Amino acid sequence: MRKIFTPQYPVYISSFAAVGGYEERRGPLGELFDLASDDDRFGERTWERAEGEMGRVCLNLAMKKADISPADIDLLLAGDLQNQCVATSGGLLTFGIPFIGLYGACSTLTEGLCTAAAYLSADSTLSRCAVVTSSHNCAAERQFRTPLEYGAQRTPSAQWTATAAGAFILGRYGRACIRGSLPGVMTDGYVRDGANMGAAMAPAALDTILRYFSLSGKRPSDFDLIVTGDLGAVGSEILCEMLGERLPGAERIHADCGLLLYDRDGRDFHSGGSGCGCSASVLAAKILPEICRGELHDVLFLSTGALMSPSSVQQGQNIIGIAHAVHISAV
Amino acid sequence: MRKIFTPQYPVYISSFAAVGGYEERRGPLGELFDLASDDDRFGERTWERAEGEMGRVCLNLAMKKADISPADIDLLLAGDLQNQCVATSGGLLTFGIPFIGLYGACSTLTEGLCTAAAYLSADSTLSRCAVVTSSHNCAAERQFRTPLEYGAQRTPSAQWTATAAGAFILGRYGRACIRGSLPGVMTDGYVRDGANMGAAMAPAALDTILRYFSLSGKRPSDFDLIVTGDLGAVGSEILCEMLGERLPGAERIHADCGLLLYDRDGRDFHSGGSGCGCSASVLAAKILPEICRGELHDVLFLSTGALMSPSSVQQGQNIIGIAHAVHISAV
């Protein structure tokens, strides 16, 4: 979109929930999750199905908080990292809600928030849209890299796919309002190292942030926080260095969900968290509650995605970054 | 959506293009394609990258027909069948258009048309959205089933993934108008046979068609055609039998893109065509030109998708069907 998309009917985030696994519960945000599984299995036999179940439980919790049933939701927008997004289709099937499937890698959350806001803005008779995204560390490791049982060593720039999900119900009332959104442009940072996705995504985050401020006429001082999805330590350092040159002040209000989710000291998380569930769970567990309590007023939230597959990397295609921005403010 | 989504600002399909491979050129619609590759490679070294190139060429052709450049398009919605949709990201990167990635298996085309219409309806200042979907037989076979070199035998209910792409530019003028759309609900037909996806998708197509007629108050006689995406011979027979009981008359105006794309006599296409590129190329090569020439007035068009992966089937998950409907009419 060549301009900021501003909903013509107000769109609010009415309800939200965060679900996580064992490591997420042990992290700095552990107490803030609505539910966590101690064995990361959520009662299922496989990691892949556990992820679907996690998404199902998460949407149920968000609906419960809003005191609504699936029949009250007009449209469901959701996605995950598994091939053909089967965690989403398997987990969310039983709700029976009309469904738009998304794939934006780890950027799927804000892709969904942008698109849900567009649907709600397009038709004033729609009541609610739900957005759900999830990721599972063990499912992602064996799909994208190696099965956990191999015990493969990971490089310091590698990130830890979060076992987490976030569910969001957008509607006509709430204490957090979507003021505007800006879909991202695919950006090639010429990175081919699947163990350094922060570096691949940082140029996309920079591009969307610069476009947002240029198009909106706003300044960094108009925001309390600029939150990226999962650049991790490596990607955040790259972004902040570039932001400091191009949009001074922005780097001082930057936070990254991948750095907020885990305590990295002496642990195996390396550059930080990642995955569709990373930015979703941090938004639902930490950022939105702070907005609803009035502790944060204006947040520019960007989930960041690395568009790649093992095949595309093997065939010499660069890892393409993308970042979609949503401006969320307290009401 | 619990009701038909009707754009509040008129949304038109302004321009479109279809690109195919060798078998598609030899088929009954061969002469209608804008471009076809004789070796299915589109100048690339791998099938996967050939699919991306096919999508790129197709969007270029659609833009050329409308005499516009990428800068004239506000938003690109696209997807494919490859893991993590890398054909789309690799092929469409260079356009630099803000991008929303979709995954709806073979239903991605009408998922994109629904969502593009919502964006255009949400904001009257947007000029154009583009929708692109593609599939490649050789890339799909080795990803979902076995590499072609194995020469695996296929069952009669199996379908032939089309090597094809379609690109559509939606805007504020044109000779084909999107009157309304209805996102599909995920439907479980309790099918686990990946070689019988028509049977898995037919219940989803039935559900969306019945909901469309129930919600709109229209009758089958209000339409010239009800077109499904890729049910093939097996799925179409199931659908028409159920339609005959539940919505008499509808089965007589049914057509299926999977049956239109190939001449199945004595050939290896078995139940018919499938893939994201099947319904997209048939819509662009045959249906839309007939609408623009006034030969068809009202068409209910439903791309149909089978939400599954090799892993989900191996882990005992049913193949979930989905079908999104778009009502396209001549202006």
Side-chain angles (χ1 to χ4, degrees), chain A residues 1-3 8 46 48-49 70 73-74 81 83-84 98-99 101 103 111 115 119 122-123 125 184 315 324, chain B residues 1-3 8 46 48-49 70 73-74 81 83-84 98-99 101 103 111 115 119 122-123 125 184 315 324:
Chain A
M1 226 159 283
R2 309 297 168 160
K3 62 179 215 42
Q8 54 186 334
T46 69
E48 287 74 16
R49 295 180 74 134
I73 299 174
D74 293 300
L81 289 179
N83 293 341
Q84 287 72 53
F99 170 67
Y103 185 76
E111 187 187 333
T115 307
Y119 269 102
D123 189 337
T125 69
Q315 293 187 7
H324 309 284
Chain B
M1 228 160 283
R2 310 295 168 160
K3 62 180 218 42
Q8 54 186 335
T46 69
E48 287 73 17
R49 294 179 72 134
I73 299 175
D74 293 300
L81 289 178
N83 293 341
Q84 287 73 53
F99 170 67
Y103 185 76
E111 187 186 333
T115 306
Y119 269 103
D123 189 337
T125 69
Q315 293 187 7
H324 309 284

Side-chain angles (χ1 to χ4, degrees), chain B residues 206 209-227 240 242-255 296-300 302 327:
Chain B
L206 179 77
I209 293 170
L210 292 180
R211 281 197 301 128
Y212 189 89
F213 281 94
S214 166
L215 289 167
S216 67
K218 291 184 188 292
R219 291 166 304 177
S221 58
D222 295 324
F223 288 88
D224 302 302
L225 273 182
I226 298 172
V227 187
C240 286
M242 296 192 289
L243 273 182
E245 290 173 9
R246 307 280 294 274
L247 190 70
E251 79 282 9
R252 286 196 295 276
I253 54 168
H254 171 259
L296 293 171
H297 287 93
D298 285 277
V299 173
L300 188 65
L302 304 99
H327 174 188

Side-chain angles (χ1 to χ4, degrees), chain A residues 280-303:
Chain A
S281 63
V282 173
L283 181 63
K286 179 177 167 64
I287 309 289
L288 277 173
E290 291 180 1
I291 290 173
C292 291
R293 288 196 300 267
E295 296 163 19
L296 293 171
H297 287 92
D298 285 277
V299 173
L300 188 65
F301 193 89
L302 304 99
S303 299

Side-chain angles (χ1 to χ4, degrees), chain B residues 56-328:
Chain B
R56 190 189 69 79
V57 166
C58 197
L59 179 54
N60 258 333
L61 284 167
M63 287 195 301
K64 192 175 173 188
K65 287 185 189 180
D67 195 20
I68 58 172
S69 73
D72 298 314
I73 299 175
D74 293 300
L75 191 65
L76 169 63
L77 301 104
D80 63 273
L81 289 178
Q82 286 185 34
N83 293 341
Q84 287 73 53
C85 301
V86 289
T88 296
S89 49
L92 306 182
L93 163 72
T94 52
F95 291 107
I97 306 170
F99 170 67
I100 295 290
L102 302 175
Y103 185 76
C106 311
S107 76
T108 305
L109 170 63
T110 47
E111 187 186 333
L113 295 177
C114 290
T115 306
Y119 269 103
L120 285 168
S121 185
D123 189 337
S124 61
T125 69
L126 298 182
S127 301
R128 294 176 197 86
C129 291
V131 179
V132 181
T133 67
S134 64
S135 55
H136 197 298
N137 181 274
C138 312
E141 283 301 310
R142 68 176 168 187
Q143 179 182 282
F144 286 106
R145 288 162 285 265
T146 56
L148 295 184
E149 294 85 343
Y150 290 10
Q153 282 212 329
R154 300 161 65 245
T155 61
S157 61
Q159 293 179 241
W160 182 274
T161 305
T163 300
F168 305 83
I169 293 168
L170 277 64
R172 304 298 179 185
Y173 62 90
R175 301 188 62 183
C177 180
I178 294 186
R179 297 283 177 201
S181 64
L182 186 65
V185 173
M186 289 189 278
T187 305
D188 189 352
Y190 302 97
V191 173
R192 288 190 192 176
D193 178 3
N196 191 2
M197 294 197 290
M201 295 186 286
L206 179 77
D207 176 77
T208 306
I209 293 170
L210 292 180
R211 281 197 301 128
Y212 189 89
F213 281 94
S214 166
L215 289 167
S216 67
K218 291 184 188 292
R219 291 166 304 177
S221 58
D222 295 324
F223 288 88
D224 302 302
L225 273 182
I226 298 172
V227 187
T228 49
D230 52 358
L231 299 182
V234 174
S236 292
E237 190 181 334
I238 296 170
L239 174 68
C240 286
E241 188 179 330
M242 296 192 289
L243 273 182
E245 290 173 9
R246 307 280 294 274
L247 190 70
E251 79 282 9
R252 286 196 295 276
I253 54 168
H254 171 259
D256 184 76
C257 298
L259 295 174
L260 293 167
L261 187 57
Y262 301 113
D263 177 5
R264 295 185 304 129
D265 283 353
R267 301 292 310 288
D268 209 24
F269 304 114
H270 297 321
S271 186
S274 70
C276 292
C278 176
S279 64
S281 62
V282 173
L283 180 62
K286 179 178 166 63
I287 310 290
L288 277 174
E290 291 180 1
I291 290 173
C292 292
R293 289 196 300 267
E295 296 163 20
L296 293 171
H297 287 93
D298 285 277
V299 173
L300 188 65
F301 193 89
L302 304 99
S303 298
T304 42
L307 302 172
M308 50 77 74
S309 76
S311 301
S312 75
V313 172
Q314 285 162 12
Q315 293 187 7
Q317 190 167 298
N318 296 341
I319 298 171
I320 296 163
I322 193 159
H324 309 284
V326 178
H327 174 188
I328 308 171

Side-chain angles (χ1 to χ4, degrees), chain A residues 198-222:
Chain A
M201 296 186 286
L206 178 77
D207 176 76
T208 306
I209 292 169
L210 293 181
R211 280 198 302 128
Y212 189 89
F213 281 95
S214 166
L215 289 166
S216 67
K218 291 184 188 294
R219 292 167 303 178
S221 58
D222 295 324

Side-chain angles (χ1 to χ4, degrees), chain A residues 40 62 251 269:
Chain A
D40 288 8
E251 80 282 8
F269 304 113

